[in-house]
Amino acid sequence: MTDKSHIFLAGASRGVGLEIAKCLVAQNMQVTALLRSPETRTELEAMGIKVMTGDALDAADVEAAMACGEPIQAVISTVGGLPKDGERADYLGNKNLIDAAVKAGVKKFILVSSIGSGNTAAALPPQALETLRPVLIEKEKAENHLIASGMIYTVIRPGGLKSEPATGNGVLTEDCRVAGTIHRADVADLVCRCLVSDAANNKVLSAVDKQMVYGNLEYEVLGLK
């Protein structure tokens, strides 16, 4: 990955996705963003990002967006959230993105998921796990679809998210027992570092602020070269 690499970003309209957009632009990456609604189009275009309008839940939209422009080196997705017409984007939206990326010959895909998915279920308190179970099931299906895709993958599962300035204390670990909170800007920083680090390839990682980890667990932090 070079500073001229073309990155396709889905979920850039808000939250972690918008923070990732800022991070990629700061690294002089060429970025194409898929937007379902036009609210943040002007903001993203002012940053130098190419905006494609389309819905991740529509496979044809996603394929068309990825086929429009220069070859894509990596896809980053933070897609998820409120259901549209009864269908959550957490699985189907990401499945469409993964399938389109494979078809487009993309080499690397980074999926932002959530602690509580897969083998990190036990890291959450039972009540929180029960509340989040429907979305976590969808996120796990998306993770598994990505892992089976044949692309180089990184799954990043953040803990509880805060919309405050970056602390610089964000860390990644393969330890499925770890939970905690982390600022969205720190998640974005970790995502952008994983983009250019082979150490994160083909790994499923939890992301927390090392100052905001629950309990007194000893765990190993992944070093990003």
Side-chain angles (χ1 to χ4, degrees), residues 45-165:
E45 288 181 337
M47 292 162 58
I49 292 173
K50 179 180 179 181
V51 174
M52 300 295 295
T53 302
D55 190 340
L57 290 172
D58 186 320
D61 277 4
V62 178
E63 280 193 26
M66 285 198 197
C68 187
E70 295 179 25
I72 297 162
Q73 279 71 48
V75 174
I76 300 171
S77 175
T78 67
V79 164
L82 297 173
K84 182 192 176 192
D85 301 328
E87 183 71 65
R88 293 197 68 95
D90 298 88
Y91 170 58
L92 184 57
N94 282 309
K95 179 185 183 295
N96 289 338
L97 288 160
I98 292 161
D99 292 346
V102 170
K103 194 168 183 178
V106 174
K107 297 291 190 289
K108 189 168 186 173
F109 195 113
I110 298 179
L111 175 64
V112 178
S113 183
S114 177
I115 287 180
S117 179
N119 67 352
T120 57
L124 291 184
Q127 187 175 358
L129 184 64
E130 195 56 39
T131 301
L132 295 170
R133 189 179 302 279
V135 66
L136 293 174
I137 289 170
E138 297 294 297
K139 287 183 182 296
E140 183 177 0
K141 286 165 63 180
E143 293 176 7
N144 290 336
H145 192 69
L146 173 58
I147 290 166
S149 71
M151 287 184 288
I152 295 169
Y153 66 85
T154 304
V155 175
I156 296 177
R157 296 166 168 167
L161 294 166
K162 294 186 174 184
S163 294
E164 296 175 31

Side-chain angles (χ1 to χ4, degrees), residues 4 17 23 49 58 63 69 74 89 122 172 183 204 225:
K4 297 301 180 188
C23 183
I49 292 173
D58 186 320
E63 280 193 26
L172 295 168
H183 295 184
V204 180
K225 297 181 181 67

Side-chain angles (χ1 to χ4, degrees), residues 8-27 31-35 37-51 76-80 112 161-164 183-189 191-192:
F8 188 92
L9 176 60
S13 62
R14 57 189 173 84
V16 173
L18 182 56
E19 294 296 333
I20 291 171
K22 294 173 185 175
C23 183
L24 292 173
V25 168
Q27 293 180 9
V31 183
T32 296
L34 178 69
L35 282 189
S37 54
E39 284 95 350
T40 54
R41 183 183 191 110
T42 304
E43 180 183 359
L44 293 172
E45 288 181 337
M47 292 162 58
I49 292 173
K50 179 180 179 181
V51 174
I76 300 171
S77 175
T78 67
V79 164
V112 178
L161 294 166
K162 294 186 174 184
S163 294
E164 296 175 31
H183 295 184
R184 287 178 170 84
D186 286 308
V187 177
D189 175 65
V191 168
C192 292

